[in-house]
């Protein structure tokens, strides 16, 4: 059989079923149609989040909505990724996407850079994690972030590959991306070479931590290796993988894999890079690829929720997903587990949650949703179950960021969200950095929309090859 997407396989299977009139065919067809309608709705709502909340004058995307907030450069990267998806789905025209993308890139290219504490948006080509929503300048005393700059640039590279036409504005888009990407001084961030630092502030200097695997920052090294102007040496990838065996490789809930407790670490780089069939030296030795690793991580999360070792309400094989997200409050309270024991439990507001790590009963729909390209067979039922069992998690732009069925404390002052009577805590914000990966992976699951574009990007291909990747679509 020729290569088919999962959606095509479902259609093919439905056709065979109708032809042979197997028992239960009507229920199967209805379920497939229902899943498609649900995903259509979710994808459109999540796209609208970026199209409607992003500032059309600057391209700045808010960190969260509807609570007033600063801009997140990572959210801008996901917004740039969203616009071509909107074109492919017919939500907006190519001309509309082109105009918004060009506006964004022009704005960022024109923002001032320098070592000062105020009046700048970045330094050495990197950008500050958060920017003022009006002027695009550094917000408060946030850090110059290497990984958030990488998220911004991955969205820019997606735009560069998508807008490949002869139109003058598409040529301008491609040139602006090269300009933004080319001015990043990756070697400057190798304060402890060959590793790359988490970031820098003018007040404190470099953050005393480097990006070493396995986590969300694969893209940092791939971009640094693929730079058209200031690439780092190939040994940087070896530094990245050097802690895999010590810190990451092992067993987790029936899976053997590179472990990272929050699911977003298994998803972010995959939003843009199609890792199916391509391997670096480490994964060649293990006999599978990073895509398979993320598939295993997703199944481990489902198994963790089914086992529910901490006795949280609502966790099951159908409802799962622990990752970085908002939470109810930073407070320790007496909690009655599903087994009936009374225990003191620490609840938290925003945190990089993960299974067995900072797990306070808070679930994030995007955590499951962003794995749809890896394991649609368990993700789609999970998203449908969350919406059906917890309808208060659903809003104008799809799922609210997170919910916690275990947090039923109406007298506690909340950091985020509200209490839904009888159902626990639910967020009242949506976060761009959480909406973004879900939309990107919906696009990849339903047509490889992002992967297809980035497979053509010469910079990304260069970065992958310099990291030692080969096979599959890389050749």
């Amino acid at each position: 059989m020729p290569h088919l997407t999962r959606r095509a396989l479902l259609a093919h299977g439905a056709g065979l079923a109708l032809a042979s009139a197997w028992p239960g065919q009507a229920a199967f067809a209805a379920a497939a149609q229902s899943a498609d309608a649900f995903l259509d709705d979710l994808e459109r709502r999540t796209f609208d989040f970026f199209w409607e909340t992003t500032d059309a004058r600057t391209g700045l995307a808010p960190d969260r909505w509807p609570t007033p907030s600063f801009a997140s450069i990572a959210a801008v990267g996901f917004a740039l990724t969203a616009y071509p998806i909107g074109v492919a789905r017919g939500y907006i025209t190519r001309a509309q996407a082109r105009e918004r993308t060009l506006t964004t890139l022009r704005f960022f290219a024109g923002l001032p850079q320098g070592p000062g504490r105020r009046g700048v948006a970045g330094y050495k080509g990197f950008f500050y994690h958060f920017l003022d929503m009006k002027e695009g300048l550094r917000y408060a005393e946030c850090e110059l972030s290497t990984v958030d700059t990488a998220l911004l640039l991955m969205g820019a590279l997606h735009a560069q590959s998508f807008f490949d036409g002869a139109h003058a504005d598409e040529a301008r888009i491609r040139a602006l991306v090269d300009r933004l990407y080319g001015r990043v001084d990756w070697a400057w961030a190798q304060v402890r070479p060959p590793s790359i630092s988490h970031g820098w502030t003018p007040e404190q200097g470099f953050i005393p931590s480097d990006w070493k695997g396995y986590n969300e920052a694969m893209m940092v090294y791939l971009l640094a290796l693929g730079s058209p102007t200031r690439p780092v040496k190939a040994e940087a990838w070896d530094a990245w993988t050097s802690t895999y065996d010590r810190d990451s490789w092992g067993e987790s809930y029936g899976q053997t894999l590179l472990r990272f407790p929050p699911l977003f670490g298994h998803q972010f780089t995959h939003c843009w890079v199609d890792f199916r069939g391509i391997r670096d030296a480490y994964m060649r030795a293990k006999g599978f690829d990073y895509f398979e690793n993320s598939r295993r991580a997703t199944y481990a999360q489902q198994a963790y929720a089914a086992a529910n070792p901490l006795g949280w309400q609502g966790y099951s094989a159908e409802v799962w997903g622990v990752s970085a997200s908002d939470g109810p409050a930073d407070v320790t309270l007496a909690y009655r587990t599903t087994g009936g024991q009374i225990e003191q439990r620490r609840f938290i507001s925003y945190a990089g949650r993960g299974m067995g790590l900072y797990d306070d009963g808070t679930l994030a729909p995007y955590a499951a949703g962003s794995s749809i390209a890896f394991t649609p067979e368990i993700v789609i039922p999970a998203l449908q179950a969350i919406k059906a069992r917890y309808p208060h998690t659903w809003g104008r732009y799809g799922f609210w960021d997170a919910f916690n069925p275990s947090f039923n404390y109406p007298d506690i002052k909340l950091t985020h969200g509200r209490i839904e009577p009888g159902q626990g805590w639910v967020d009242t914000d949506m976060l761009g950095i959480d909406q973004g990966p879900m939309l990107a992976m919906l696009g990849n699951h339903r047509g490889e929309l992002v992967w297809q574009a980035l497979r053509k990007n010469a910079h990304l291909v260069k970065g992958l090859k310099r990291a030692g990747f080969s096979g599959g679509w890389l050749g």
Side-chain angles (χ1 to χ4, degrees), residues 14 49 71 98 110 113 137 153 158 262 275 351 372 392 448:
F49 171 85
R98 185 169 57 222
Q113 292 241 335
L137 303 179
L153 289 175
H158 180 231
F275 282 106
I372 192 169
H392 55 286
E448 302 182 6

Side-chain angles (χ1 to χ4, degrees), residues 249-266:
W249 183 259
E251 304 288 328
S252 181
Y253 285 88
Q255 303 295 329
T256 302
L257 76 164
L258 287 170
R259 296 166 296 179
F260 185 69
L263 260 178
F264 77 89
H266 298 279

Side-chain angles (χ1 to χ4, degrees), residues 6 31 34-46 263 267 298 301-302 305 314 316-323 363-395 397-403 434-435 437-443 445-446:
R6 176 172 169 78
S34 173
D36 259 359
F38 168 71
L39 294 179
D40 285 342
D41 190 24
L42 175 61
E43 195 168 23
R44 179 59 194 261
R45 287 172 184 263
T46 311
L263 260 178
Q267 298 162 340
T298 306
Q301 274 261 351
Q302 183 198 38
S316 70
E318 294 78 39
V319 176
W320 48 272
V322 184
S323 196
L363 296 167
Y366 92 92
S370 301
S371 280
I372 192 169
F374 309 129
T375 57
E377 67 278 5
I378 61 173
V379 168
I380 297 171
L383 293 175
Q384 290 179 304
I386 291 169
K387 185 185 177 189
R389 298 179 193 179
Y390 305 97
H392 55 286
T393 64
W394 186 259
Y397 296 128
F399 288 105
W400 295 105
D401 189 58
F403 66 105
D434 296 346
Q435 293 282 84
M438 184 154 65
L439 179 62
M441 293 304 253
L442 278 164
H445 168 62
R446 309 177 88 204

Side-chain angles (χ1 to χ4, degrees), residues 106-120:
R106 277 176 169 164
F107 183 77
F108 272 81
L111 288 172
Q113 292 241 335
R117 299 184 178 188
R118 297 287 179 266
V120 294

Side-chain angles (χ1 to χ4, degrees), residues 88-131:
R89 297 287 184 246
Y91 306 152
I92 55 174
T93 65
R94 189 179 184 97
Q96 287 175 300
R98 185 169 57 222
E99 179 183 7
R100 179 72 66 87
T101 299
L102 185 57
T103 294
T104 306
L105 296 172
R106 277 176 169 164
F107 183 77
F108 272 81
L111 288 172
Q113 292 241 335
R117 299 184 178 188
R118 297 287 179 266
V120 294
Y123 183 44
K124 297 289 186 178
F126 295 96
F127 286 92
Y128 284 101
H129 190 170
F130 300 123
L131 304 176

Side-chain angles (χ1 to χ4, degrees), residues 170-194:
E170 299 201 9
R172 292 185 184 101
I173 285 170
R174 296 192 294 272
L176 280 167
V177 173
D178 276 340
R179 178 179 166 190
L180 285 167
Y181 183 23
R183 73 185 187 186
V184 178
D185 190 348
W186 300 97
W188 171 79
Q190 290 182 298
V191 65
R192 291 165 291 271

Side-chain angles (χ1 to χ4, degrees), residues 36-380:
D36 259 359
F38 168 71
L39 294 179
D40 285 342
D41 190 24
L42 175 61
E43 195 168 23
R44 179 59 194 261
R45 287 172 184 263
T46 311
F47 169 81
D48 284 346
F49 171 85
F50 288 102
W51 188 251
E52 294 178 4
T53 68
T54 298
D55 188 338
R57 179 185 60 87
T58 63
L60 290 170
D63 179 62
R64 60 177 62 236
W65 176 93
T67 297
S69 76
F70 36 75
S72 157
I73 62 169
V76 174
F78 282 118
L80 289 170
T81 303
Y83 306 145
I85 294 174
V87 175
R89 297 287 184 246
Y91 306 152
I92 55 174
T93 65
R94 189 179 184 97
Q96 287 175 300
R98 185 169 57 222
E99 179 183 7
R100 179 72 66 87
T101 299
L102 185 57
T103 294
T104 306
L105 296 172
R106 277 176 169 164
F107 183 77
F108 272 81
L111 288 172
Q113 292 241 335
R117 299 184 178 188
R118 297 287 179 266
V120 294
Y123 183 44
K124 297 289 186 178
F126 295 96
F127 286 92
Y128 284 101
H129 190 170
F130 300 123
L131 304 176
D132 178 85
M133 265 305 278
K134 293 182 179 179
E135 297 179 340
L137 303 179
R138 182 193 188 195
Y139 179 81
E141 293 189 352
C142 70
E143 83 285 8
L144 195 79
S145 173
T146 51
V147 71
D148 289 280
T149 297
L151 286 161
L152 170 65
L153 289 175
M154 291 302 282
L157 289 183
H158 180 231
Q160 184 182 58
S161 294
F162 178 81
F163 292 107
D164 58 357
H167 193 286
D169 282 348
E170 299 201 9
R172 292 185 184 101
I173 285 170
R174 296 192 294 272
L176 280 167
V177 173
D178 276 340
R179 178 179 166 190
L180 285 167
Y181 183 23
R183 73 185 187 186
V184 178
D185 190 348
W186 300 97
W188 171 79
Q190 290 182 298
V191 65
R192 291 165 291 271
S195 297
I196 295 175
S197 173
H198 283 199
W200 174 89
T201 68
E203 293 84 7
Q204 302 294 328
F206 282 100
I207 294 171
S209 299
D210 296 323
W211 290 114
K212 292 186 178 180
Y214 176 74
N215 53 51
E216 74 273 23
M218 272 197 291
M219 70 186 87
V220 172
Y221 285 91
L222 294 176
L223 287 168
L225 289 164
S227 170
T229 57
R230 297 179 173 89
V232 299
K233 294 179 181 179
E235 63 187 16
W237 189 259
D238 295 331
W240 162 254
T241 61
S242 65
T243 59
Y244 276 10
D245 282 335
R246 185 191 71 200
D247 299 337
S248 304
W249 183 259
E251 304 288 328
S252 181
Y253 285 88
Q255 303 295 329
T256 302
L257 76 164
L258 287 170
R259 296 166 296 179
F260 185 69
L263 260 178
F264 77 89
H266 298 279
Q267 298 162 340
F268 272 21
T269 301
H270 293 257
C271 291
W272 297 278
V273 184
D274 181 3
F275 282 106
R276 295 173 301 173
I278 67 172
R279 303 175 187 177
D280 62 0
Y282 186 90
M283 295 310 270
R284 277 194 293 275
K286 296 300 183 184
F288 61 96
D289 55 40
Y290 286 102
F291 180 93
E292 170 63 18
N293 196 81
S294 291
R295 191 191 70 82
R296 295 182 184 189
T298 306
Y299 268 101
Q301 274 261 351
Q302 183 198 38
Y304 171 78
N308 194 13
L310 297 179
W312 294 118
Q313 300 294 327
Y315 282 35
S316 70
E318 294 78 39
V319 176
W320 48 272
V322 184
S323 196
S325 70
D326 274 350
D330 296 294
V331 61
T332 299
L333 298 166
Y335 168 71
R336 183 184 295 275
T337 71
T338 53
Q341 296 86 4
I342 303 294
E343 299 179 0
Q344 293 295 306
R345 292 287 177 87
R346 180 69 178 169
F347 295 92
I348 42 183
S349 52
Y350 187 86
R353 293 174 170 81
M355 61 183 205
L357 173 76
Y358 300 132
D359 179 8
D360 66 346
T362 299
L363 296 167
Y366 92 92
S370 301
S371 280
I372 192 169
F374 309 129
T375 57
E377 67 278 5
I378 61 173
V379 168
I380 297 171

